[in-house]
Amino acid sequence: MSNNLSELLGRKGAANPLFEKMGLASKEDGAPSDEELAKLADEFLVGKANIYGATTFYDFMRPDNKGKKVYVCNGTACVCAGTQDKVIKDLEAKFNSEEIGHMTCLGRCHENAAFHYNGKNYSGKAIGEIDKILNEDTDLNLDTYHVKANGRPVLTKPFPGIDDYYRPFKRILKEDSLDILLEIKTSNVRGRGGAGYPKGLKLESCRNAKSDVKFIICNADEGDPGAYSDRYLLEQRPHSVLFGMLVSGYVTQANYGIVYIRAEYPEAVEIVQKAIDEIREKDLLGKNIDDSGFDFDIKIIQAQGSYICGEETALINSIEGQRPEVRVRPPYPAQKGLFNKPTIVNNVETLANLRNIIEHGGPHWKSIGTEHSSGTKLVCLDSFFVNPGMYEIEMGTPLTEVIYDIGGGFRSEVKALQIGGPLGGLVPVTKIKDLTLDFESFAKEGFLLGHASIISIPIEYPIMKFIEHLFDFASYESCGKCFPCRLGTKRGHELSTKALNSDYKIDRRLFNDLLTTLEQGSLCAHGGGIPLPVRNAMQYFEDELNEYFS
């Protein structure tokens, strides 16, 4: 990280960041021209190399994105479902191959066959209506999935209207913000983006940091294939997210919020912007909210296609307009984040939980779930389930209940589940009975709950091919900051590809050394986490993998 660059790029503040201007320059042609990059370099007083290095990192700003007209999802859920070859074939009948790009992932894991055209996402049977999609404005982009709460609904409760919904927020504006922080700490609500860090401790750390400027960032870059719970909240419960940002701002004494929404969710951008406009009209944003003396504003920044931006420090670099590489920690963002100012970064679901805590109190939230994993968790089930969809589950619920009672079991035979995204564990179906939906149970059994997205691996899908897919994804999405991840994920992909396509046998000790290097040497969870599902695969599917190892 360059401290000087962060300061320089912060001169215009979050209202007018370099990254946003890069995106606007890319909108018409798919990538900015050299002339546009030069103008931006002059405007922000940074080198042309800095601008070029940043823009060429992203899927939707790099030069080879020019001319792309349609994008096919290559996320794990769609790959395992085997739907994408037909999607590509059908699109090639309408587009030249160089006009077809890829996106990962579109959040259509419940029905697959996903693709993106003209600012909208499509899935399921929509590809069969491609002529209609190309020739007229249709509603074929609208998707449906089961949404149900198992127990007490929190995040899935119906929206009662702005006045009723924001009444608890207006109440706390008359209370000491320290008391509100204590309620959040009492609830023991933990981050829902993967790490499970206590939300209250993060808020407290930022609150204690001395600065006139602080930021609240909603990490809406939900990049885990198989996950669409954040998309659900953004598109169907956007006010829950905005409420959480307002509370976080009040508690930390921050005055500015940013919702960083992934480019692959274009509908979410429009819906959240409408929600922001609604609460602004109600004087719940801006200066002196409800005569409380509290100032807070929120804006959306649309991402440009990079999985690593889900990592909080890479996301911060991205907003600044720097290359989105992971920062070395400490210092942590709560002390030194966006433009070197104290910053809170929380994912969508984490922020959405605050409404229940503010309305009913910390002890009420703590009473739901388990002692160390309180509250509810949104769980996404893919198309292999009889009842694919998004379910709100109380923490501590047996995984068998989630899979077989709520999800209805599988439509066809499945041998494993990847839970928690590409860095999550690979759970054989024989282990489902040993797990409950909470952080501790998964860690104890050698897995990771993470985002709690569930992708099914069908019986006929080779585990070695799954390993190759994981390494391919990890190497493509690596930020390149540290050698273990940049080189290690690529070597893993090369080894697995060679073993799959020739008589080559992977040296088992060499492969284990590679995984250990990734785990211990990587700067962040991207390189450090990818060995977990690979080790799970080697442990539980040894018989299937033996032919590829010496």
Side-chain angles (χ1 to χ4, degrees):
M1 177 187 74
S2 169
N3 287 330
N4 291 337
L5 267 180
S6 293
E7 292 288 343
L8 191 61
L9 293 168
R11 290 181 310 118
K12 297 188 178 185
N16 191 31
L18 172 58
F19 179 70
E20 191 171 48
K21 292 203 168 187
M22 291 174 175
L24 291 173
S26 307
K27 195 168 185 179
E28 185 173 346
D29 297 324
S33 66
D34 290 344
E35 292 76 17
E36 288 171 314
L37 292 179
K39 287 180 181 178
L40 288 175
D42 290 340
E43 179 182 350
F44 283 84
L45 304 179
V46 295
K48 293 178 183 178
N50 297 96
I51 299 279
Y52 185 82
T55 55
T56 54
F57 186 94
Y58 298 92
D59 286 346
F60 309 128
M61 289 201 287
R62 60 182 54 164
D64 56 8
N65 187 57
K66 284 188 175 181
K68 296 288 190 260
K69 295 181 178 179
V70 64
Y71 299 86
V72 178
C73 180
N74 66 349
T76 308
C78 283
V79 168
C80 288
T83 59
Q84 301 313 88
D85 287 344
K86 183 180 185 306
V87 171
I88 293 171
K89 183 178 178 180
D90 288 351
L91 290 176
E92 284 178 339
K94 305 295 180 181
F95 299 93
N96 297 324
S97 58
E98 61 270 17
E99 295 176 327
I100 302 174
H102 80 270
M103 281 185 166
T104 312
C105 135
L106 297 180
R108 299 299 187 100
C109 318
H110 58 287
E111 58 185 11
N112 309 128
F115 65 99
H116 174 98
Y117 173 72
N118 197 27
K120 294 181 180 180
N121 292 337
Y122 300 87
S123 55
K125 297 179 180 179
I127 189 63
E129 302 284 348
I130 187 63
D131 287 328
K132 186 179 291 186
I133 291 170
L134 296 179
N135 295 318
E136 59 184 273
D137 187 17
T138 74
D139 60 0
L140 290 169
N141 65 303
L142 302 177
D143 67 321
T144 57
Y145 46 87
H146 294 279
V147 177
K148 184 178 179 182
N150 180 50
R152 290 172 281 184
V154 176
L155 299 173
T156 55
K157 287 178 65 175
F159 180 65
I162 291 177
D163 291 337
D164 285 345
Y165 196 79
Y166 285 89
R167 189 168 287 115
F169 171 66
K170 295 176 76 171
R171 170 179 56 79
I172 67 168
L173 289 177
K174 298 176 175 61
E175 301 175 17
D176 190 331
S177 60
L178 180 59
D179 292 337
I180 309 307
L181 173 61
L182 294 176
E183 285 291 338
I184 296 170
K185 289 180 69 177
T186 298
S187 74
N188 193 37
V189 60
R190 295 171 62 176
R192 299 310 199 229
Y197 189 79
K199 165 75 172 170
L201 293 182
K202 185 179 279 193
L203 289 173
E204 184 175 48
S205 181
C206 185
R207 178 188 174 90
N208 292 338
K210 304 299 182 184
S211 177
D212 293 333
V213 178
K214 298 179 183 181
F215 296 100
I216 305 296
I217 297 177
C218 172
N219 180 354
D221 196 46
E222 181 184 51
D224 286 350
Y228 49 96
S229 52
D230 287 359
R231 181 169 79 85
Y232 161 77
L233 292 170
L234 293 168
E235 294 179 1
Q236 298 192 38
R237 298 291 187 274
H239 286 288
S240 67
V241 184
L242 301 182
F243 188 104
M245 294 181 73
L246 283 164
V247 171
S248 297
Y250 184 61
V251 165
T252 59
Q253 299 165 352
N255 299 121
Y256 209 90
I258 295 171
V259 189
Y260 185 93
I261 303 178
R262 62 197 317 256
E264 293 86 348
Y265 288 175
E267 293 92 348
V269 174
E270 296 179 9
I271 292 169
V272 175
Q273 184 59 58
K274 181 182 177 182
I276 291 173
D277 295 340
E278 288 172 346
I279 62 172
R280 192 182 303 281
E281 290 177 3
K282 293 282 188 177
D283 295 323
L284 291 167
L285 278 183
K287 298 288 186 181
N288 192 27
I289 298 173
D290 201 37
D291 295 323
S292 65
F294 174 54
D295 303 336
F296 197 79
D297 216 329
I298 299 175
K299 77 168 293 176
I300 294 172
I301 290 180
Q302 188 166 7
Q304 295 295 332
S306 171
Y307 177 76
I308 198 62
C309 288
E311 197 281 335
E312 62 179 5
T313 61
L315 185 155
I316 288 169
N317 270 0
S318 176
I319 294 173
E320 291 181 351
Q322 298 195 60
R323 185 178 173 88
E325 294 178 337
V326 173
R327 296 181 178 182
V328 177
R329 289 165 291 187
Y332 292 92
Q335 286 81 45
K336 193 173 185 179
L338 183 63
F339 307 131
N340 292 335
K341 306 301 182 183
T343 302
I344 289 290
V345 183
N346 278 130
N347 94 312
V348 171
E349 187 177 345
T350 309
L351 289 163
N353 286 327
L354 292 186
R355 170 58 167 70
N356 180 274
I357 296 168
I358 297 305
E359 182 179 28
H360 299 292
H364 174 269
W365 176 271
K366 188 77 166 59
S367 71
I368 306 172
T370 70
E371 181 180 357
H372 299 294
S373 296
S374 57
T376 65
K377 181 74 192 75
L378 297 180
V379 177
C380 305
L381 304 184
D382 71 2
S383 64
F384 279 89
F385 286 87
V386 173
N387 303 316
M390 203 282 307
Y391 297 91
E392 185 172 15
I393 312 293
E394 289 195 18
M395 286 287 205
T397 300
L399 190 59
T400 51
E401 184 177 335
V402 177
I403 301 298
Y404 298 108
D405 297 340
I406 299 169
F410 305 106
R411 298 175 188 268
S412 57
E413 194 172 359
V414 165
K415 61 183 173 184
L417 304 172
Q418 183 166 41
I419 302 179
L423 313 182
L426 186 66
V427 181
V429 291
T430 55
K431 290 290 291 182
I432 291 174
K433 66 183 185 304
D434 300 325
L435 293 167
T436 54
L437 194 77
D438 54 69
F439 297 108
E440 290 71 37
S441 170
F442 274 68
K444 178 183 175 183
E445 295 294 333
F447 305 113
L448 180 73
L449 179 62
H451 211 291
S453 55
I454 300 181
I455 294 176
S456 306
I457 315 299
I459 195 74
E460 68 275 8
Y461 197 92
I463 290 296
M464 194 63 199
K465 189 176 179 181
F466 184 75
I467 291 174
E468 181 198 33
H469 170 75
L470 284 177
F471 274 122
D472 184 25
F473 174 87
S475 62
Y476 181 84
E477 298 291 353
S478 174
C479 79
K481 178 70 174 285
C482 66
F483 289 141
C485 180
R486 185 172 79 196
L487 301 179
T489 54
K490 187 62 178 176
R491 295 294 90 83
H493 182 230
E494 290 171 347
L495 288 170
S496 54
T497 300
K498 193 173 181 180
L500 272 172
N501 297 294
S502 71
D503 294 332
Y504 176 77
K505 305 291 184 184
I506 302 172
D507 184 293
R508 195 177 295 271
R509 191 172 75 170
L510 175 68
F511 196 68
N512 279 323
D513 284 349
L514 173 65
L515 296 178
T516 300
T517 301
L518 279 164
E519 288 169 333
Q520 297 182 4
S522 298
L523 271 176
C524 80
H526 185 75
I530 204 69
L532 175 62
V534 177
R535 290 197 189 279
N536 291 154
M538 294 176 70
Q539 176 183 357
Y540 293 108
F541 296 95
E542 183 178 10
D543 291 344
E544 183 180 334
L545 292 174
N546 273 338
E547 63 175 293
Y548 301 106
F549 289 88
S550 62

